[in-house]
Amino acid sequence: MLFKNMIILYLLMLVLMAGCSHIPYLQKEVSPEQANKALEHALQQVNKPYVWGEQDPNIGFDCSGLVIWAYKQVIHNIMFLYKGKPAKDIDVFTLYTENSRLLEKDEIVEGDIVYIANKENKVEHCGLVIKVDEDSVQIIHASGSLGKVVIEKWGLKEEIREGHIHSFGRLKYVSLSP
């Protein structure tokens, strides 16, 4: 009887362990101070060239590359979620879907992320918030169509270069420690 109970316990443990094979990773939200420091780093990159897939001040930036690089200057060894697992680099859509807490307008602080969508309302561009007022936002972003990192003012309901402001987010990053 003892042997049978041990086998049942063993099988139960195997079932429970199989169900835990996907370890959820804890994400921390950046503080307003960290967001502001990331913005300070990004602002030093104005006029650097737009280079798709890059996040290096010596080469250039794409939109998510500028955001990720700026935050890497503040939070060393920062990791992000990509399909539920830690990753060192991600694209803008993954930044939006897995690594941001969407914000109401009154929650936005300098250095939060602004997401820009295309005509089909799909998020495909991002930047960092410099300032928000009643009907517009000043942002820094690596613009492919302008070919460089720029500061621009966008109306909250305005279309610019076939894009519009979709939403704002506070960066969440992976914490591998409890």
Side-chain angles (χ1 to χ4, degrees):
M1 186 67 151
L2 179 63
F3 183 71
K4 183 178 176 183
N5 287 341
M6 287 177 58
I7 290 177
I8 292 172
L9 182 61
Y10 177 75
L11 290 174
L12 182 61
M13 286 175 45
L14 283 177
V15 168
L16 289 173
M17 287 177 20
C20 295
S21 64
H22 174 70
I23 300 169
Y25 293 94
L26 176 67
Q27 284 184 300
K28 291 184 180 178
E29 191 171 283
V30 298
S31 68
E33 295 78 21
Q34 289 170 316
N36 191 273
K37 286 179 183 176
L39 175 61
E40 289 174 13
H41 287 285
L43 289 170
Q44 296 171 12
Q45 305 310 311
V46 171
N47 291 322
K48 295 283 174 91
Y50 176 91
V51 180
W52 186 83
E54 285 297 334
Q55 53 176 275
D56 183 336
N58 297 314
I59 298 170
F61 298 95
D62 68 5
C63 67
S64 60
L66 177 65
V67 170
I68 290 168
W69 176 86
Y71 275 102
K72 282 182 176 181
Q73 305 316 297
V74 178
I75 305 166
H76 303 290
N77 300 317
I78 190 171
M79 298 282 282
F80 307 94
L81 283 185
Y82 178 73
K83 296 184 179 178
K85 296 189 178 176
K88 291 184 179 185
D89 190 21
I90 52 174
D91 61 20
V92 64
F93 191 71
T94 305
L95 191 62
Y96 168 69
T97 57
E98 292 189 67
N99 296 276
S100 290
R101 177 176 66 87
L102 296 183
L103 304 171
E104 298 297 325
K105 187 177 171 194
D106 63 347
E107 295 180 279
I108 301 166
V109 299
E110 295 176 355
D112 278 333
I113 304 167
V114 55
Y115 291 104
I116 298 169
N118 62 16
K119 287 186 176 195
E120 291 78 38
N121 210 33
K122 180 182 178 197
V123 171
E124 58 180 23
H125 189 67
C126 65
L128 293 177
V129 172
I130 298 171
K131 181 182 175 185
V132 177
D133 60 33
E134 195 61 36
D135 58 356
S136 66
V137 60
Q138 187 178 32
I139 66 173
I140 181 168
H141 63 116
S143 170
S145 58
L146 298 176
K148 61 184 177 178
V149 175
V150 296
I151 294 174
E152 291 188 300
K153 189 172 186 176
W154 284 50
L156 294 176
K157 298 180 192 266
E158 179 181 17
E159 185 174 303
I160 297 180
R161 295 183 294 279
E162 299 185 6
H164 63 274
I165 294 176
H166 180 275
S167 53
F168 298 91
R170 176 92 25 92
L171 181 69
K172 298 186 303 185
Y173 63 98
V174 174
S175 174
L176 297 177
S177 59

